[in-house]
Amino acid sequence: MSIDHFVEDAGLFYERLGLSRTSGRVMGWLLTADADSADAPQLAEALAVAKSSMSIALRQLEQAGMVERFRVRGERRDRYRLAEDVFARAFRAKMAEFESFRKLADQGLRAVGDDPGRRRRLELMRDMYAFMMERFPSLLDDWDRLKDER
């Protein structure tokens, strides 16, 4: 498999997660690039996209906490790099959504009353998200320890 193929697959992958395809391609490029950062014109040229599309993609990734913008002293352009431990950060951000799913399930349980069939589905939803809220923090703590040992 070539790097270009990986970058395109990353675009499709992240698009399925709700980012733009260009944002996903940027992630793929930054994950496989020789350098640890690039400026927007470099990325636009490397990925053959318009500068305006690149600007939107980089803003989306920066707002999601997946890339960091910085400037090297003496240079005029901002540069972009993957955020430190980007995937653990993204996972932590997703964990915040678990409570919202659990609350939605509780709302549904109040709405359906005592109907056992309807309650079962909503209870499974509530209980699964409660389980994930309980277990995932310790998994991330384990990851932090493992990462620090590397």
Side-chain angles (χ1 to χ4, degrees):
M1 171 184 284
S2 71
I3 289 176
D4 288 341
H5 190 147
F6 171 78
V7 168
E8 294 305 318
D9 283 351
L12 293 170
F13 178 83
Y14 282 99
E15 186 177 45
R16 286 189 298 270
L17 295 177
L19 293 175
S20 71
R21 187 176 299 190
T22 301
S23 294
R25 292 175 69 219
V26 169
M27 289 297 294
W29 192 92
L30 288 171
L31 284 164
T32 58
D34 289 335
D36 66 348
S37 67
D39 63 30
Q42 289 172 316
L43 288 164
E45 182 180 335
L47 299 174
V49 299
K51 290 179 184 179
S52 59
S53 295
M54 183 54 60
S55 177
I56 292 167
L58 289 169
R59 188 174 328 113
Q60 183 181 45
L61 290 169
E62 188 178 12
Q63 288 173 347
M66 298 179 80
V67 299
E68 298 170 337
R69 179 172 35 147
F70 68 100
R71 187 170 289 182
V72 175
R73 187 180 189 136
E75 290 188 11
R76 296 181 62 185
R77 288 196 172 120
D78 290 335
R79 297 190 65 78
Y80 297 87
R81 64 181 166 220
L82 292 175
E84 183 68 29
D85 203 12
V86 62
F87 302 106
R89 288 178 70 181
F91 196 79
R92 281 183 172 85
K94 282 291 181 193
M95 281 179 36
E97 295 175 9
F98 295 167
E99 177 64 13
S100 297
F101 280 109
R102 191 193 60 72
K103 285 181 179 179
L104 182 63
D106 282 340
Q107 180 184 357
L109 285 166
R110 289 189 302 277
V112 299
D114 294 333
D115 184 303
R118 292 178 180 177
R119 289 193 67 79
R120 175 158 169 63
R121 292 188 298 263
L122 289 160
E123 287 168 348
L124 284 172
M125 177 184 174
R126 179 201 59 203
D127 295 348
M128 182 195 72
Y129 283 107
F131 173 82
M132 292 190 325
M133 286 171 51
E134 178 185 320
R135 297 286 178 94
F136 280 8
S138 66
L139 287 173
L140 284 168
D141 290 343
D142 291 346
W143 166 245
D144 286 339
R145 282 190 293 278
L146 179 65
K147 179 185 65 175
D148 291 344
E149 292 171 5
R150 298 177 100 198

